[in-house]
Amino acid sequence: MGHVVNPGPGRPRLEQRRRPGGTPRAEILDAAAELFTNRGYANTSTRRIADAVGIRQASLYHHFGTKDDILDALLEKTIAEPLALAAQLIAEPGDPAPKLYALALYDTRQLCANRWNLGSLYLLPELRTERFESFRVRRDELRKLYAVVSRQVIADTRPAANGTDTLNGVEYLPFRLVETVINMRSDDGVSPEHAPALIPEAAVRVLGWTGDSLRLRETAEALLDRAISPVQPPA
Amino acid sequence: MGHVVNPGPGRPRLEQRRRPGGTPRAEILDAAAELFTNRGYANTSTRRIADAVGIRQASLYHHFGTKDDILDALLEKTIAEPLALAAQLIAEPGDPAPKLYALALYDTRQLCANRWNLGSLYLLPELRTERFESFRVRRDELRKLYAVVSRQVIADTRPAANGTDTLNGVEYLPFRLVETVINMRSDDGVSPEHAPALIPEAAVRVLGWTGDSLRLRETAEALLDRAISPVQPPA
């Protein structure tokens, strides 16, 4: 996976762009995602990212002030759409089980479809610093929205189990089950092809839901088709 | 969490040992685990580990040839006992559901009880290098043993579902559910206290097992009590 050699300041780029995205910003993000996930965050300098894109380091700084800013933008990409979708689904009328299935399906698909396994960066100790406070808050928000729908599923299927005392944290397992896609990808080196069929169903079943999974999946897919295209993060 | 300043070559250590373990080797492992999980693997030098223990770097090299060797020893600690227990449980007669519950309970407890969240190192890109081939093989073995017991649980509770085609990878979810303890710890900064009650039950339920959880837990605890104390990794 050779990278474009930096042709040096002022000289024309030796090769055509070949990273996805079409804009310098998108190319920087793609190169950084590749290097962060394959070589490690601490092991990757902005100079190396610029080299991998084939631009000067000064040009990179035109788009991102620091390496942390690049990481923050990559992390935000992994939660922006699930967050928008979760808020939208919760606001709609209808049964909770298809909503949870739809959210887990969408989220599983995007974690599988990302060109790089960005979720593997969630465990970086760097994320515990103040710089990433706002990302942590947003990801926590997503976790809580999963829990809101999960509690509705539990209330629907096992009314007697309601009340946080008896729940014991089970309402957070659907969110965690979706995250296991990250570990599967990391261990296998490829996206787990069975995950979109497996994870959303496990997410409802772990809450005690019992029912016809084929019908649930159809209802969830219809919900996703109807859902307004989730908002993109600001460029 | 201040560390002991290296008193310099030849000089006596300024402070008494205060890390758990009682041997230099155990202290090195503890200091390395703290630094790897809190500052990052790439950001931690063997010099810094030696400083944190209060020994000279040369003394550290007496116990470990490289930083990778320290990481390998730490990782091995997280799988040695679950591996020994899984092999032992599989060899015994008896119902599979309590075996899976017992394995998941033991494993969840040890992931919670480790002084540092060592599982967060599983996603390091460094682990994909040849140096960690043998650790990867051992961890894969553990994953497969979880799947063996999981398939037995499925055969027991849903005989019609047997056959890998229809399983769709669900037999790997109990292993992945146990790993979610690592993400919970990382996000919350503390071990999830409800995990030992929550995760093993989710591990059997996600396979379709339905039954009395209190009785299952009692049977599993009895299995663990009877189990020969799992072997320790070679020192």
Side-chain angles (χ1 to χ4, degrees):
Chain A
M1 209 163 284
H3 58 268
V4 180
V5 176
N6 186 343
R11 293 194 232 149
R13 288 170 50 155
L14 293 176
E15 301 198 21
Q16 290 301 103
R17 281 182 190 148
R18 48 182 188 180
R19 291 191 174 268
T23 66
R25 187 189 150 91
E27 289 183 278
I28 292 166
L29 287 173
D30 182 70
E34 175 175 4
L35 291 164
F36 293 168
T37 54
N38 285 347
R39 296 176 37 87
Y41 185 65
N43 288 326
T44 300
S45 63
T46 50
R47 170 64 191 264
R48 178 138 192 162
I49 298 168
D51 282 356
V53 179
I55 60 174
R56 287 178 303 135
Q57 206 174 355
S59 310
L60 183 146
Y61 284 123
H62 177 70
H63 298 279
F64 295 97
T66 67
K67 192 171 75 161
D68 281 351
D69 291 346
I70 302 178
L71 177 59
D72 194 47
L74 287 171
L75 294 169
E76 172 65 22
K77 274 171 62 170
T78 66
I79 54 166
E81 297 193 351
L83 257 175
L85 177 66
Q88 197 181 338
L89 288 170
I90 287 171
E92 279 183 16
D95 288 343
K99 290 181 185 179
L100 180 60
Y101 193 106
L103 177 60
L105 178 60
Y106 185 90
D107 210 358
T108 298
R109 279 183 182 151
Q110 66 106 8
L111 286 172
C112 286
N114 285 336
R115 216 158 97 87
W116 311 105
N117 193 11
L118 292 171
S120 67
L121 306 172
Y122 290 158
L123 293 179
L124 284 176
E126 284 86 346
L127 293 205
R128 282 174 240 140
T129 61
E130 208 181 315
R131 170 63 184 84
F132 294 97
E133 164 79 15
S134 108
F135 168 72
R136 289 200 306 276
V137 168
R138 299 248 307 151
R139 182 151 164 271
D140 199 45
E141 209 181 314
L142 179 59
R143 180 165 63 148
K144 282 173 184 155
L145 291 181
Y146 264 94
V148 165
V149 192
S150 297
R151 270 188 226 105
Q152 292 173 354
V153 172
I154 295 167
D156 230 36
T157 48
R158 299 186 287 147
N162 227 355
T164 309
D165 281 1
T166 52
L167 289 188
N168 223 357
V170 75
E171 72 270 34
Y172 291 104
L173 283 185
F175 176 78
R176 295 298 175 191
L177 273 165
V178 171
E179 281 193 336
T180 67
V181 171
I182 297 159
N183 299 55
M184 294 177 191
R185 262 189 92 161
S186 177
D187 286 339
D188 301 339
V190 292
S191 287
E193 53 174 343
H194 53 269
L198 177 68
I199 301 288
E201 180 166 347
V204 292
R205 295 221 181 267
V206 83
L207 300 177
W209 183 88
T210 52
D212 181 49
S213 18
L214 265 182
R215 238 196 99 205
L216 181 66
R217 187 182 185 88
E218 279 170 16
T219 318
E221 292 272 21
L223 270 181
L224 286 181
D225 285 345
R226 272 209 319 275
I228 301 157
S229 172
V231 289
Q232 290 285 341
Chain B
M1 210 161 284
H3 59 267
V4 181
V5 176
N6 187 346
R11 294 193 228 148
R13 287 169 50 153
L14 294 175
E15 302 195 21
Q16 290 301 105
R17 279 181 190 150
R18 50 181 187 181
R19 291 190 174 269
T23 66
R25 187 188 150 90
E27 289 184 278
I28 292 166
L29 287 173
D30 182 71
E34 175 175 4
L35 291 164
F36 293 168
T37 53
N38 286 345
R39 298 176 35 87
Y41 185 65
N43 288 326
T44 300
S45 63
T46 51
R47 169 65 190 263
R48 178 138 193 163
I49 298 168
D51 282 357
V53 178
I55 61 174
R56 288 177 302 134
Q57 205 174 356
S59 311
L60 183 146
Y61 284 124
H62 177 72
H63 298 279
F64 295 97
T66 64
K67 190 171 78 161
D68 281 351
D69 292 346
I70 303 178
L71 177 59
D72 194 46
L74 287 171
L75 293 170
E76 174 64 21
K77 274 172 61 171
T78 65
I79 55 166
E81 298 193 350
L83 256 175
L85 177 67
Q88 199 181 334
L89 289 170
I90 287 172
E92 280 183 14
D95 288 341
K99 291 183 185 179
L100 180 60
Y101 193 106
L103 177 59
L105 178 59
Y106 185 90
D107 209 359
T108 297
R109 277 182 182 151
Q110 67 104 9
L111 286 174
C112 286
N114 285 337
R115 216 158 98 84
W116 311 106
N117 194 12
L118 292 171
S120 67
L121 305 172
Y122 290 157
L123 293 180
L124 283 175
E126 284 86 347
L127 293 206
R128 280 174 240 141
T129 61
E130 206 179 317
R131 170 62 185 85
F132 294 96
E133 165 79 15
S134 109
F135 167 73
R136 288 200 306 274
V137 167
R138 301 248 305 150
R139 184 152 163 271
D140 198 46
E141 209 182 313
L142 179 60
R143 179 165 62 148
K144 282 174 184 153
L145 292 181
Y146 264 94
V148 165
V149 193
S150 297
R151 269 186 228 106
Q152 292 173 354
V153 173
I154 294 168
D156 232 34
T157 48
R158 300 185 287 148
N162 229 354
T164 309
D165 281 0
T166 53
L167 288 187
N168 222 357
V170 75
E171 72 271 34
Y172 290 104
L173 282 184
F175 175 79
R176 295 297 175 191
L177 273 166
V178 171
E179 281 193 335
T180 67
V181 170
I182 297 160
N183 298 58
M184 294 176 191
R185 262 189 92 160
S186 177
D187 285 339
D188 301 340
V190 294
S191 287
E193 54 175 343
H194 54 268
L198 177 68
I199 301 288
E201 179 167 346
V204 293
R205 294 220 181 266
V206 83
L207 301 177
W209 183 90
T210 53
D212 181 49
S213 18
L214 266 182
R215 241 195 96 207
L216 180 66
R217 187 182 185 88
E218 280 169 19
T219 317
E221 294 272 20
L223 271 181
L224 285 181
D225 285 345
R226 271 209 319 274
I228 301 157
S229 170
V231 290
Q232 289 285 342

